[in-house]
Amino acid sequence: HLSGWMEIFQIILSCPVCQDIFKDPVLLPCSHSFCNVCVQQWWRTKQTRVCPVCKAVSPRSNIPPRNLVLKNLCEAFLLEVESGVVCRLHTERLKLYCVDHQTPVCIVCRDSSQHRNHTFTPVNEAAEFHRNGLLKLKAKWEKTDEDIKNQAGETERKVREEFRVLRTFLQEEENVRIAALKQEEMHKRGMMKDKISVLIREINAMESTIKTIEDGLTDDDTSFLIKVDTLTKETQRPLPDDPRHVTGALINVAKYLANISFSVWCKMIEKVSYTPVILNPNTAHEELHLSECLTSVTCGPKQPLASTPERMEQHRCVLGFEGYSSGTHSWIVEVGDSQVWALGVIAQDAQRMGNILSGLWMLRFCHGKFTAFCPSRPGSVLPLKDRPQRVRVYLDWEKGKLSFLDQQTDTVLHTFTHTFTKTHHFKFCDCHFSYLRT
């Protein structure tokens, strides 16, 4: 029996003086072995070099040699014990696994008071169970790692696409402004070229007139008098306009540079939208499908999503990304013709602990019936009102008021009153609506 042999080995490998496993054992001439420290201390107390067991006297000139064989056996035994295979208390093999204490035990431990009425399984079965558990956990984390990789890649793609749209818009705005500038430049330079051409013709004509006058002055008196009227008219030719007095001749620089960033930003507002509630995909139930912009949700087939603490696995819902712990907030949700939808807020602690109903304030519409849920009451049917297409959710944190209104008629569907003290997230359950907006 292995445990019996372990006990025998422990007795054989124990020093007769300290009753512990040999440490640096030495061999006396009488063939008895002791720890080197133990025998030296024994000799000092006895004032003579006698064997602690048989009282045989060792010569003072004799230095006890080390017992290397025994030393190796002791080290091997200690390794066996320290490896966890042998019980430290009873030097028995650890053949059982205490399910209550989650630790291996020996058969003596099983019958001890420490493990009374506990559940035990063979260590090989427990090891297989925990090994399978670790393998499943490993597979889960590998799946989560793959999901993180895919999430990062998909999010990067969406971010790049958003900025590509913005860059395209800015590039188009730049091209439009540069094209308009070039067009004005071509137009005004063309006007200047036309004016320069006219001016050149005027200069040539003036030079021709001067030459004609000069030639006329050299004629005889009779010929000069005949031409004098014509020469006088030539000298009265009007001069061209001074280009410095031409209005609007230069480029309208201010038109292109005045508040350029603000002007482009104003035009950009027409192309972008703002949604006050952004859904958190990490909380979405596996049957809820979020839009790429994370502002709408629809129900559909199950998706292979990573199981994380924040994911809503027991309830088909998704939470808003941002939590609220103060102030007033208002959202408009387009539920359209959906036959089933639910809106509300949930306490962050309730989500973290998995006890959703302990921190949930929710209004649900299901096939023509309104039901209100809150921690103080599991559910109460409300009088049927007109079916809304848009629902305004209004949260006044300080006043402790959460209201749901028909946005088109401004009719109050229901109001909760509660003293909110913790962070709450906007919550969507069983939703079949199109999108959110303010």
Side-chain angles (χ1 to χ4, degrees), residues 30 32 34 42 46 48-58:
C30 59
H32 290 126
F34 305 91
W42 179 270
K46 298 299 181 182
T48 180
R49 296 164 66 89
V50 296
C51 173
V53 175
C54 66
K55 309 304 180 182
V57 179
S58 300

Side-chain angles (χ1 to χ4, degrees), residues 67-175:
N67 193 338
L68 295 180
V69 174
L70 183 58
K71 180 177 181 292
N72 292 336
L73 286 173
C74 291
E75 290 177 351
F77 180 80
L78 290 174
L79 284 174
E80 184 77 5
V81 174
E82 292 174 359
S83 66
V85 178
V86 179
C87 177
R88 291 178 176 272
L89 297 176
H90 309 110
T91 64
E92 295 277 353
R93 279 278 183 176
L94 300 173
K95 293 183 177 181
L96 301 174
Y97 184 80
C98 177
V99 177
D100 299 80
H101 283 171
Q102 298 283 297
T103 184
V105 296
C106 68
I107 57 174
V108 180
C109 293
R110 177 194 61 187
D111 298 329
S112 66
S113 60
Q114 183 182 5
H115 296 279
R116 185 171 296 141
N117 299 325
H118 286 186
T119 303
F120 300 91
T121 60
V123 289
N124 58 335
E125 293 183 8
E128 184 66 19
F129 174 78
H130 285 285
R131 187 178 293 110
N132 292 336
L134 290 175
L135 289 175
K136 290 180 181 179
L137 183 61
K138 177 176 176 289
K140 176 183 176 180
W141 286 119
E142 288 176 346
K143 174 65 168 57
T144 302
D145 178 69
E146 185 66 22
D147 290 339
I148 292 172
K149 176 183 175 183
N150 294 336
Q151 259 192 327
E154 182 65 13
T155 304
E156 179 180 346
R157 181 191 68 79
K158 293 176 181 178
V159 169
R160 292 185 181 279
E161 177 60 22
E162 289 288 335
F163 278 94
R164 185 197 66 77
V165 172
L166 294 177
R167 283 194 297 269
T168 300
F169 169 78
L170 292 175
Q171 187 64 55
E172 290 175 352
E173 282 296 306
E174 178 184 349
N175 293 340

Side-chain angles (χ1 to χ4, degrees), residues 284-289 297-303 305 316 430:
H285 186 272
E286 59 186 357
E287 294 181 12
L288 294 184
H289 297 252
V297 57
T298 56
C299 292
K302 290 185 177 181
Q303 308 167 85
L305 301 177
R316 190 170 61 175
D430 301 323

Side-chain angles (χ1 to χ4, degrees), residues 242-310:
D242 189 338
R244 292 176 298 178
H245 297 159
V246 177
T247 303
L250 298 179
I251 294 294
N252 189 1
V253 176
K255 172 184 175 182
Y256 302 100
L257 297 182
N259 297 317
I260 183 170
S261 299
F262 179 78
S263 300
V264 173
W265 177 71
C266 289
K267 293 188 67 175
M268 186 180 292
I269 291 179
E270 300 174 0
K271 293 184 172 292
V272 299
S273 60
Y274 170 74
T275 304
V277 177
I278 299 298
L279 304 180
N280 185 354
N282 294 336
T283 66
H285 186 272
E286 59 186 357
E287 294 181 12
L288 294 184
H289 297 252
L290 275 60
S291 63
E292 285 201 354
C293 57
L294 305 180
T295 58
S296 67
V297 57
T298 56
C299 292
K302 290 185 177 181
Q303 308 167 85
L305 301 177
S307 179
T308 58
E310 61 265 34

